[in-house]
Amino acid sequence: VIGVVIGKTDVRSFPDRKNIGCERYTFNFTIRDSPTYFINVQSWGREEYIRALSESFRVGDCVTIENPLIQSKEAEREEKFNPVTPSCYKLLLSENHSVVKTSSCYETDTRLLSLLHLPVKDPQDYYSLGDIVANGQSLHGRILNVLAAVMSVSR
């Protein structure tokens, strides 16, 4: 699978249920290879493997994923913490079997770069900041999608 990384989480650790006293590490990212299709990728493993993998690429990089495991996703649980994708599957990376290689998008396919700027939600499923300000009371307690742009960043 070849795609551009459009999102990425931080590395997290959890107690290992099989090996009491040990930790398992994980992080997720989302790749896109067309305007319509993108998929979440989950990786689990030892701290050294997960940290090295996470540090090997960033959002905007093109990656090639070899030998991922394809799993059905548990929509309710997984989509709380990851982008909602059009696929009912996710890719799972295994330290022993999977490989992630990074390359320049220019080397891979210049069309992938334009995918970075496409929203992952339906354009009719957004609220503007003005709508939220004007209708704040009626929206209280609801989960909303907001499409916004960063105008500046400063210290």
Side-chain angles (χ1 to χ4, degrees):
V1 178
I2 298 173
V4 62
V5 177
I6 62 170
K8 184 177 163 188
T9 67
D10 292 330
V11 172
R12 299 181 318 267
S13 66
F14 296 92
D16 189 338
R17 287 185 242 153
K18 294 179 183 174
N19 300 313
I20 305 302
C22 294
E23 302 257 321
R24 291 184 69 202
Y25 287 78
T26 186
F27 85 102
N28 300 331
F29 60 99
T30 305
I31 62 168
R32 184 176 219 162
D33 68 356
S34 74
T36 309
Y37 296 105
F38 49 98
I39 193 165
N40 291 320
V41 183
Q42 187 174 46
S43 55
W44 287 89
R46 297 176 304 110
E47 180 177 13
E48 300 79 23
Y49 167 72
I50 294 299
R51 289 202 186 279
L53 182 59
S54 176
E55 292 168 5
S56 71
F57 62 88
R58 59 182 188 215
V59 171
D61 286 348
C62 291
V63 296
T64 302
I65 301 173
E66 298 175 0
N67 297 324
L69 179 65
I70 300 169
Q71 285 188 331
S72 296
K73 67 182 178 185
E74 299 170 43
E76 280 186 26
R77 197 181 94 195
E78 293 181 27
E79 291 182 347
K80 283 183 183 177
F81 307 106
N82 296 304
V84 176
T85 63
S87 172
C88 56
Y89 300 101
K90 65 179 178 182
L91 302 180
L92 183 63
L93 300 182
S94 159
E95 183 173 357
N96 297 324
H97 299 99
S98 306
V99 176
V100 178
K101 298 176 185 174
T102 60
S103 61
S104 162
C105 283
Y106 292 109
E107 292 172 15
T108 309
D109 189 342
T110 54
R111 291 175 297 165
L112 291 176
L113 282 178
S114 64
L115 301 177
L116 276 171
H117 306 292
L118 295 177
V120 294
K121 292 280 190 171
D122 178 353
Q124 306 305 313
D125 193 23
Y126 290 107
Y127 281 83
S128 72
L129 295 177
D131 289 341
I132 294 169
V133 170
N135 301 304
Q137 283 297 94
S138 64
L139 300 173
H140 182 72
R142 292 187 52 201
I143 295 173
L144 305 175
N145 295 315
V146 179
L147 180 61
V150 176
M151 290 179 50
S152 68
V153 177
S154 63
R155 284 188 154 184

